[in-house]
Amino acid sequence: EDKVVQSPLSLVVHEGDTVTLNCSYEVTNFRSLLWYKQEKKAPTFLFMLTSSGIEKKSGRLSSILDNKELFSILNITATQTGDSAVYLCAVTEYGNKLVFGAGTILRVKS
Amino acid sequence: SAVISQKPSRDICQRGTSLTIQCQVDSQVTMMFWYRQQPGQSLTLIATANQGSEATYESGFVIDKFPISRPNLTFSTLTVSNMSPEDSSIYLCSVAGRVSPSEAFFGQGTRLTVV
């Protein structure tokens, strides 16, 4: 059965800290790995990763994929209270079906 | 990215009733996806809606409980039928990206509470 596992389940840090969120996966027909930020209801797209070893960056956020060891990490540097959210990892299979992990709840304290 | 309008944003419904959620996309898309997110849980795919054919349901979801319409390439509805408190969830519609089909974009979501 396809599965996506995220760790940690929750995390509390102080502003300015750096955090690393983990996502491992086992899927039959891997196509890409996606990271989302969910603050209220709708997940907001962050990154899509398809190639192993190529880092993607957007401001203080960065992510990389290892498709041999089947995991990805999401880094957030110099965290701010606005980074508090649930971070979701999902894997796309052929047919565009998304399999989501349970998410990591991040709380950044001021 | 696609612009997806979903409504209602939230609703409180009596058990035994049904609610229809609408999803409108600003461009034509082949597939639309409906997800459910129960409290404290991650997103689970309910079904894939293709225009002109019946929706494809995931394991654990059936058409009688979650009928879906897809009358054209920009619109879909999901109905939650004969609701019970266990149906209280966030329901989200999603479409694949135009530039990269592997990306997925979401509507604003519908927060449903069944009392």
Side-chain angles (χ1 to χ4, degrees), chain A residues 45-101:
Chain A
F45 175 80
L46 294 175
F47 296 111
M48 182 181 75
L49 303 159
T50 54
S51 300
S52 188
I54 298 176
E55 184 182 51
K56 291 212 171 179
K57 292 196 72 171
S58 177
R60 297 177 292 104
L61 278 66
S62 63
S63 184
I64 195 163
L65 173 71
D66 185 330
N67 62 14
K68 291 183 180 177
E69 298 298 325
L70 307 184
F71 77 90
S72 174
I73 60 172
L74 174 68
N75 281 319
I76 307 174
T77 59
T79 51
Q80 304 170 356
T81 55
D83 295 327
S84 297
V86 177
Y87 289 84
L88 296 167
C89 171
V91 173
T92 307
E93 298 183 288
Y94 283 98
N96 294 327
K97 174 184 173 181
L98 284 174
V99 179
F100 280 87

Side-chain angles (χ1 to χ4, degrees), chain A residues 11-64:
Chain A
L11 191 58
V12 180
V13 300
H14 288 93
E15 273 191 313
D17 289 349
T18 294
V19 298
T20 298
L21 310 182
N22 304 293
C23 176
S24 63
Y25 59 92
E26 291 180 32
V27 297
T28 307
N29 296 302
F30 175 84
R31 190 168 179 176
S32 62
L33 186 143
L34 306 170
W35 284 97
Y36 290 89
K37 178 182 182 183
Q38 186 179 31
E39 293 177 89
K40 292 182 179 178
K41 292 183 295 183
T44 304
F45 175 80
L46 294 175
F47 296 111
M48 182 181 75
L49 303 159
T50 54
S51 300
S52 188
I54 298 176
E55 184 182 51
K56 291 212 171 179
K57 292 196 72 171
S58 177
R60 297 177 292 104
L61 278 66
S62 63
S63 184
I64 195 163

